[in-house]
């Protein structure tokens, strides 16, 4: 058997690892995030830890800016901060870009400060990518189904939160009712 055929047969016989998917159920509808465990292993593992613990259940999208992004995972509907684990290493140099429908970790000015908060890009936000002295924001997944639900979030009027003073807070809470791993 020629070598290229043997190599092709071996490739076909190798098991294909399916990317991890997470079903997000909100009070506006459901959407599915497909993680990129290969290019963002630390970030994906961190996100899945919060999913498996049920930490995202009952949290809200607390910052929604139409034409930019929707951020959630860190606060409940009363704007109480949820407990977190230790921050993780920033994987923004993994080659994944902050493009439309991608999911990335939110962080402070410290590049290695991401914990439980994440955001979904409404458009290509190249200024959030790692480049030069910009450490960037680590993309670790993409909304592969139900992006219209995420887009609907941007239709809810926003304002400042009396509890925290934060801006761009949806005036009608967008609640993450549950997140679960699906195959």
């Amino acid at each position: 058997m020629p070598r290229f055929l043997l190599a092709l047969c071996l490739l076909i016989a190798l098991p294909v690892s399916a990317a991890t998917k997470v079903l997000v159920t909100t009070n506006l509808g459901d959407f599915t995030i497909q993680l990129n465990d290969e290019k963002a292993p630390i970030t994906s593992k961190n996100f899945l830890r919060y999913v498996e613990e049920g930490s995202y259940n009952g949290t809200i999208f607390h910052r929604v800016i139409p034409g930019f992004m929707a951020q959630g995972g860190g606060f409940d509907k009363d704007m109480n901060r949820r407990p977190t684990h230790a921050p993780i290493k920033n994987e923004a140099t993994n080659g994944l870009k902050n493009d439309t429908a991608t999911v990335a970790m939110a962080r402070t000015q410290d590049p290695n400060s991401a914990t439980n908060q994440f955001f979904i890009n409404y458009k290509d936000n190249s200024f959030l990518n790692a480049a030069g002295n910009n450490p960037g924001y680590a993309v670790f997944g993409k909304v592969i189904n139900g992006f219209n639900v995420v887009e609907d979030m941007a239709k809810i009027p926003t304002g400042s939160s009396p509890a925290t003073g934060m801006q761009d807070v949806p005036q009608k809470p967008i609640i993450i009712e549950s997140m679960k791993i699906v195959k």
Side-chain angles (χ1 to χ4, degrees), residues 28 64 66 122 148-158 170 174:
L28 296 182
V64 178
Y122 281 123
N148 60 306
V149 173
V150 179
E151 291 174 315
D152 286 346
M153 293 178 193
K155 296 175 183 173
I156 296 174
T158 62
I174 303 167

Side-chain angles (χ1 to χ4, degrees), residues 37-106:
D37 314 81
E38 183 181 318
K39 289 190 175 183
I42 296 168
T43 311
S44 295
K45 183 177 178 182
N46 176 69
F47 183 76
L48 289 173
R49 180 180 187 185
Y50 288 106
V51 170
E52 290 170 341
E53 292 173 350
S55 296
Y56 290 125
N57 301 347
T59 61
I60 60 168
F61 280 88
H62 65 275
R63 185 171 170 231
V64 178
I65 303 173
F68 177 39
M69 61 90 221
Q71 181 176 338
F75 296 88
D76 67 20
K77 64 181 176 54
D78 297 319
M79 296 300 286
N80 295 310
R81 190 177 293 272
R82 284 288 178 94
T84 65
H85 296 290
I88 59 171
K89 180 183 181 294
N90 186 351
E91 293 182 299
T93 58
N94 62 16
L96 301 174
K97 304 297 181 201
N98 281 279
D99 290 338
T100 303
T102 58
V103 185
M105 290 307 294

Side-chain angles (χ1 to χ4, degrees), residues 65-69 96-104 119-129 139 142 147 151:
I65 303 173
F68 177 39
M69 61 90 221
L96 301 174
K97 304 297 181 201
N98 281 279
D99 290 338
T100 303
T102 58
V103 185
F119 62 91
I120 303 168
N121 289 291
Y122 281 123
K123 67 178 191 84
D124 294 357
N125 289 311
S126 60
F127 70 96
L128 298 177
N129 298 331
V139 172
K142 183 171 186 167
F147 188 62
E151 291 174 315

